[in-house]
Amino acid sequence: RKEVEQDPGPFNVPEGATVAFNCTYSNSASQSFFWYRQDCRKEPKLLMSVYSSGNEDGRFTAQLNRASQYISLLIRDSKLSDSATYLCVVNLPGRRALTFGSGTRLQVQP
Amino acid sequence: EPEVTQTPSHQVTQMGQEVILRCVPISNHLYFYWYRQILGQKVEFLVSFYNNEISEKSEIFDDQFSVERPDGSNFTLKIRSTKLEDSAMYFCASASGTGNQETQYFGPGTRLLVL
């Protein structure tokens, strides 16, 4: 089983739509969780950390479900500029190294 | 806003040659990382470096690879004898090392092509 699994997509949505991505992780003792965004041929950039209580940053909401070992990202009111690949990222127990999922590609269309 | 920088942005080399990829981490950061991303694949961890020594490495980071912090600012990744399968984007990252959820900041990457 992969350490971090994501639906590769692509998700094609119209501007203004709400879209949600899920990610599952295999190690129940994983400690820290993040969503990164990666534009084509660019570096990953931190979108938001994911906290146990869930957290929101503008149009973006992240949730963590430790019992089911999944993380979600909700994007409201999608913009053309949201088009990118969204990477689910986890710290495995005792490690500082980041473990990346393969990413979910989002294409927001006019 | 401080950022991680990397040079060169692109490197083309012949199989068997040595390459050195350079990174300048954010100045007050203490933890440094190299990751790679083969085209179309996920980002993979190579090595982490703290207090002038390797703190963690993956199975990818074999004897062909080495890292160094030759001075107070640069952090380098050397590939001793490149193979075709080393072709990838190499990202350097740095982190302050404080807080429960450490944020790693990535450089723009070096695209390595081995012919």
Side-chain angles (χ1 to χ4, degrees), chain A residues 9-24:
Chain A
F11 283 59
N12 294 301
V13 303
E15 264 186 295
T18 294
V19 61
F21 307 133
N22 289 329
C23 159
T24 57

Side-chain angles (χ1 to χ4, degrees), chain B residues 12-23:
Chain B
V12 181
T13 191
Q14 296 289 326
M15 193 169 58
Q17 294 296 302
E18 175 184 285
V19 294
I20 297 176
L21 310 183
R22 291 183 167 80
C23 168

Side-chain angles (χ1 to χ4, degrees), chain B residues 47-63:
Chain B
V47 65
S48 63
F49 195 83
Y50 170 71
N51 203 26
N52 285 319
E53 60 183 28
I54 290 173
S55 52
E56 191 182 344
K57 61 182 180 178
S58 73
E59 57 194 27
I60 302 169
F61 193 86
D62 61 21
D63 292 343

Side-chain angles (χ1 to χ4, degrees), chain A residues 43 45-46, chain B residues 1-5 24-29 103-106:
Chain A
E43 74 273 26
K45 288 188 176 174
L46 179 69
Chain B
E1 185 178 311
E3 56 185 22
V4 177
T5 59
V24 178
I26 294 172
S27 65
N28 62 344
H29 283 186
T103 298
Q104 293 186 21
Y105 295 89
F106 284 74

Side-chain angles (χ1 to χ4, degrees), chain B residues 7 26 29-30 42-43 47-49 55 66 68 70 74 91 105:
Chain B
T7 53
I26 294 172
H29 283 186
L30 302 176
K42 65 178 182 177
V43 177
V47 65
S48 63
F49 195 83
S55 52
S66 62
E68 200 176 34
N74 288 288
F91 294 109
Y105 295 89

Side-chain angles (χ1 to χ4, degrees), chain A residues 6 21 23 34-36 46-48 50 71-73 87-88:
Chain A
Q6 296 182 251
F21 307 133
C23 159
F34 309 89
W35 283 102
Y36 275 73
L46 179 69
L47 181 65
M48 57 198 303
V50 187
I71 307 150
S72 65
L73 176 68
L87 307 174
C88 178

Side-chain angles (χ1 to χ4, degrees), chain A residues 57-69:
Chain A
D57 183 1
R59 297 182 293 109
F60 299 86
T61 301
Q63 297 278 352
L64 169 63
N65 184 322
R66 283 192 184 271
S68 302
Q69 293 174 218

